[in-house]
Amino acid sequence: MSTIFSKIIAKEIPSQMVFQDDRVTAFKDINPSAPVHILIVPNKEIPTIDDVTPEDEAVLGHMLIVAKQIAREQGIAENGYRLIINCRSDGGQEVYHLHMHLLGGRRLGPMLAQKD
Ligand code: 5GP
């Protein structure tokens, strides 16, 4: 089922888009958790990282190349950044269109909370 991200990719609703080509779209997160918080999304509707198939291998690799490029453009490559893909409910996924978070611009702290 389509999500709001398909509408953003199709430019049917506005976003702060930073990159788009025939495979991937990247736009600023509406509720940023860090000074730089960008979502990198395959144009193809794939619900979760658990739904990818071998035919998605190229687009998944492309998402990483695009992330690296955007990190450079946003000026966070040198100090470093974090890439996160949440999967389903325990992973904290809210939007069921696969996406990778690119976060940086400050020290991000430990990867996970120490306790629930
Ligand atoms: P998830 O929790 O699924 O990994 O991340 C979903 C992200 O999408 C959240 O960080 C949320 O702020 C962002 N988001 C949800 N709806 C919109 C929207 O309409 N526009 C933008 N730019 N980001 C959104």
Side-chain angles (χ1 to χ4, degrees):
M1 207 180 82
S2 290
T3 71
I4 193 134
F5 287 179
S6 291
K7 292 192 169 66
I8 289 174
I9 291 164
K11 297 181 177 160
E12 288 167 11
I13 62 165
S15 74
Q16 289 184 278
M17 204 174 276
V18 297
F19 178 88
Q20 186 169 51
D21 67 10
D22 59 333
R23 288 180 285 173
V24 162
T25 300
F27 50 90
K28 293 188 180 180
D29 196 291
I30 205 166
N31 185 21
S33 300
V36 174
H37 188 170
I38 289 166
L39 302 173
I40 298 155
V41 181
N43 295 341
K44 177 183 171 185
E45 286 178 14
I46 304 170
T48 81
I49 191 66
D50 194 57
D51 297 302
V52 298
T53 66
E55 75 172 30
D56 300 319
E57 202 171 309
V59 76
L60 293 170
H62 190 52
M63 285 167 69
L64 290 170
I65 298 292
V66 168
K68 173 199 151 171
Q69 221 171 277
I70 294 171
R72 282 183 189 282
E73 287 164 9
Q74 296 285 326
I76 59 170
E78 196 172 323
N79 281 350
Y81 52 90
R82 186 171 292 161
L83 299 171
I84 297 173
I85 296 176
N86 296 321
C87 182
R88 299 193 179 130
S89 50
D90 275 6
Q93 185 173 2
E94 289 170 8
V95 179
Y96 278 66
H97 183 138
L98 174 63
H99 52 280
M100 183 162 65
H101 298 254
L102 166 62
L103 295 149
R106 68 165 168 83
R107 290 228 170 218
L108 295 169
M111 193 161 68
L112 294 173
Q114 298 299 312
K115 291 182 183 167
D116 285 343

